[in-house]
Amino acid sequence: MRFGPIPIEDAEGAILAHATTAGERRLRKAHRLTAEDVKVLAAAGVREVVAASLASDDVDENEAAARIAGVLKHSGIEVKPAATGRVNLHAKTTGVFTVDKELVDSINHVDPAVTIATVAAFAPVVAGQMVATVKIIPFAVPEAVVDWIASLTADHTIFEVHPYRAWSVGVVQTVLPSVKQSVLDKTRRVTEARLARSGSRVSEERRTPHEPGAVAQAISELSRDNDMVLVFGASAVCDPEDVIPAAIRESGGTVFRAGMPVDPGNLLILGERGGRPVLGAPGCARSPKENGFDWVLDRLIAGVPVTEDDIAGMGVGGLLMEIPTRPQPREPAEPARRAKVYTIVLAAGRSSRMGGPNKLLASFGGKKLVRLVAERVRASRADGVVVVTGHQADRVRDALAGINVRFADNPDYASGLAGSLKAGIRALPADADGAMVVLGDMPGVDTADFDALITAFARASGHAIVRATHAGKRGNPVILPHSVFPAVESLEGDVGARHLVEAGGVEVVDVEIGEGASIDVDTPDALALAGGVVAG
């Protein structure tokens, strides 16, 4: 491939490196010039263009990306069509992602023109999430590069999504006089929530004295009828011969590893009895926050083996977020800083179910709906407001004239909710601890409701997802903590914040705000029922 200035008379078939204008005609970047294009450009006085001219053995970027993605062996993954030299690969199911790092590295060493990027090995993923991407950087690559990569992948599986299996889990909790009933009850609730992401459940629970014999008997009983046994000790394990590892052995089981190089999670015990995994849970597993226990639990439930060597290799990347409630934090806590919450108002949609009118411009009590929502948010304790526009952007902006909000445009609004959510997150200030995602068509949510959500987020130290509910059912708005912002970039199509909430791994706090959490105005009937009048 030759790249650089090309005389216009020689440019037929070349690929434009930059958008070019000739009179009223605008040719986009990566456009392949036709004879008619060359004629128009020449007539407009263009003497040369910066473009790529392909050689006979070059493969166009889209074809190259598609061919490379096509030779990669994988499981549980859907390959999307090529566009702009890129092919994205998405998980077909919820589970654990594994990758042959050595093979990915080998492909990325072939030629800088070809790149493969993936999410982290053993990452939990949800159905529809992007897990890998193949990107061709220039407009084309030589055929030999594509063939070389094909030869590397011949006998190797490069990616897999291992689907979770719904397991029945037996839980043992040991008891000492110092352990409150409320702690045991909370541990069960947190464990049930942790298992829910895989469709698994706690089928039985035993609460026993903190003694090897009693614990061993409970392990023996629960391992007969369950796929896994989890043991929570009333006192932290301080030796490989302590109560929990001793009980696993006394039950007839085997202890493979006592301790792991992941913090929080150091005190995990990996064992088995009768071919069923038995895990001694570290104390941090009583918290919903990610810890080393999650890494082992998710892999086992997805059918990915975990060996002593696997655990020994978890140290790099194993220093995780501190859990504020642990008895002895790694370092003294710094003075608390007020979590900053910014609001993203999604106002880019086409109102397709309205049959024509833009619902956001409907009148409620003499005000446009989008203005009513923006004013209520602006009056809340949110630190700022970003309004994402798309369909009829100028009219939406006009409706918000005089309100102190920032705008973010989503040119790809027709593709669905994900693009608007991405645009909003990208427009947030760097100091945002959370993003309150507000739908522009919810007239029943008022300023007090927004403040209630922000208060709940602050009480969770800015680390939880906070979700509005009505009669116990999930609704909107939702506050996303900064920790999930990167995951927004993996969303595509008509997928919004709910996808991230249901992915698991982050504590979810529900706040009951009443009927407003479930009222939106997608149809003319819903609009009229809510008190709106369609704009003329």
Side-chain angles (χ1 to χ4, degrees):
M1 182 180 72
R2 184 169 64 87
F3 183 88
I6 300 176
I8 194 62
E9 60 269 19
D10 299 328
E12 182 178 348
I15 301 172
L16 283 177
H18 312 291
T20 303
T21 301
E24 296 183 357
R25 179 176 297 189
R26 187 176 186 275
L27 304 176
R28 61 177 175 79
K29 176 184 176 180
H31 175 72
R32 190 182 291 270
L33 293 172
T34 66
E36 178 63 21
D37 295 330
V38 169
K39 181 179 177 181
V40 170
L41 290 170
V46 176
R47 295 292 172 258
E48 66 178 18
V49 291
V50 178
S53 182
L54 304 192
S56 60
D57 65 340
D58 281 334
V59 181
D60 167 84
E61 58 176 343
N62 284 338
E63 181 184 348
R67 283 175 53 180
I68 290 171
V71 300
L72 301 178
K73 296 184 184 301
H74 47 74
S75 175
I77 289 173
E78 178 185 6
V79 180
K80 298 292 186 178
T84 64
R86 183 186 298 278
V87 169
N88 295 328
L89 297 95
H90 292 241
K92 287 182 178 178
T93 186
T94 298
V96 172
F97 175 78
T98 58
V99 55
D100 185 335
K101 181 181 185 301
E102 184 177 344
L103 181 52
V104 172
D105 290 347
S106 296
I107 293 172
N108 284 333
H109 271 98
V110 170
D111 190 307
V114 179
T115 66
I116 295 180
T118 79
V119 298
F122 302 109
V125 298
V126 297
Q129 179 180 340
M130 187 194 305
V131 295
T133 186
V134 178
K135 172 63 178 173
I136 308 300
I137 294 175
F139 291 119
V141 294
E143 180 91 34
V145 170
V146 178
D147 292 342
W148 188 358
I149 292 172
S151 69
L152 291 175
T153 65
D155 300 314
H156 304 278
T157 297
I158 190 168
F159 314 125
E160 288 188 80
V161 173
H162 303 261
Y164 290 127
R165 296 173 291 171
W167 279 18
S168 62
V169 178
V171 170
V172 182
Q173 294 201 67
T174 72
V175 179
L176 289 172
S178 59
V179 178
K180 295 180 179 179
Q181 181 77 22
S182 60
V183 171
L184 302 176
D185 294 342
K186 178 187 175 184
T187 299
R188 171 150 184 166
R189 291 195 303 271
V190 168
T191 303
E192 289 173 335
R194 188 169 255 124
L195 293 171
R197 62 186 176 232
S198 64
S200 300
R201 63 186 180 88
V202 175
S203 60
E204 298 180 77
E205 182 186 2
R206 301 278 192 278
R207 295 183 178 180
T208 74
H210 190 68
E211 302 168 357
V215 178
Q217 181 177 347
I219 292 172
S220 298
E221 294 171 353
L222 294 177
S223 63
R224 285 196 294 266
D225 300 320
N226 291 283
D227 300 301
M228 174 188 288
V229 178
L230 305 178
V231 185
F232 292 84
S235 179
V237 174
C238 58
D239 189 88
E241 300 301 323
D242 209 340
V243 170
I244 293 176
I248 294 173
R249 296 187 186 97
E250 188 173 328
S251 74
T254 302
V255 174
F256 300 117
R257 176 96 184 186
M260 70 186 304
V262 180
D263 191 358
N266 291 150
L267 303 183
L268 180 135
I269 308 296
L270 174 66
E272 64 88 23
R273 183 187 182 279
R276 310 288 176 88
V278 179
L279 298 183
C284 58
R286 297 184 189 273
S287 164
K289 298 184 184 300
E290 181 188 16
N291 58 78
F293 178 67
D294 291 288
W295 291 14
V296 175
L297 181 70
D298 284 346
R299 294 189 200 186
L300 290 173
I301 294 179
V304 179
V306 180
T307 67
E308 180 181 4
D309 287 343
D310 292 327
I311 291 181
M314 292 179 179
V316 176
L319 184 60
L320 304 179
M321 182 182 296
E322 178 66 277
I323 295 177
T325 56
R326 70 191 304 180
Q328 293 181 312
R330 290 193 290 260
E331 294 180 352
E334 296 181 359
R337 178 180 66 84
R338 185 181 71 82
K340 288 196 171 185
V341 178
Y342 292 83
T343 299
I344 299 172
V345 177
L346 301 181
R350 294 178 293 174
S351 302
S352 55
R353 294 174 62 189
M354 288 293 295
N358 187 338
K359 60 187 175 183
L360 299 183
L361 303 177
S363 178
F364 280 77
K367 288 185 179 180
K368 306 291 188 186
L369 174 56
V370 69
R371 187 177 185 90
L372 180 69
V373 172
E375 285 182 345
R376 289 174 176 176
V377 172
R378 192 62 231 164
S380 76
R381 294 194 296 109
D383 291 273
V385 180
V386 173
V387 178
V388 181
T389 59
H391 176 62
Q392 295 184 345
D394 290 342
R395 296 184 65 193
V396 171
R397 286 175 181 250
D398 288 345
L400 298 176
I403 303 178
N404 183 18
V405 299
R406 297 171 58 189
F407 291 98
D409 189 46
N410 174 24
D412 194 30
Y413 63 87
S415 68
L417 198 58
S420 291
L421 188 54
K422 291 178 188 179
I425 292 292
R426 291 168 187 164
L428 293 178
D431 64 350
D433 296 301
M436 181 162 60
V437 182
V438 176
L439 305 183
D441 65 341
M442 299 191 72
V445 183
D446 60 25
T447 298
D449 297 327
F450 296 131
D451 283 342
L453 296 171
I454 293 170
T455 297
F457 185 73
R459 287 174 177 166
S461 301
H463 298 309
I465 293 173
V466 176
R467 174 175 60 187
T469 60
H470 168 223
K473 295 183 179 180
R474 63 194 180 192
N476 284 292
V478 172
I479 299 181
L480 302 178
H482 187 275
S483 62
V484 305
F485 288 3
V488 172
E489 291 298 327
S490 69
L491 301 178
E492 290 194 349
D494 199 27
V495 174
R498 179 177 295 179
H499 206 58
L500 302 176
V501 176
E502 295 173 351
V506 180
E507 180 183 5
V508 178
V509 176
D510 286 334
V511 177
E512 177 68 31
I513 67 169
E515 190 178 18
S518 57
I519 294 178
D520 54 20
V521 290
D522 284 342
T523 65
D525 288 345
L527 180 71
L529 187 62
V533 178
V534 174

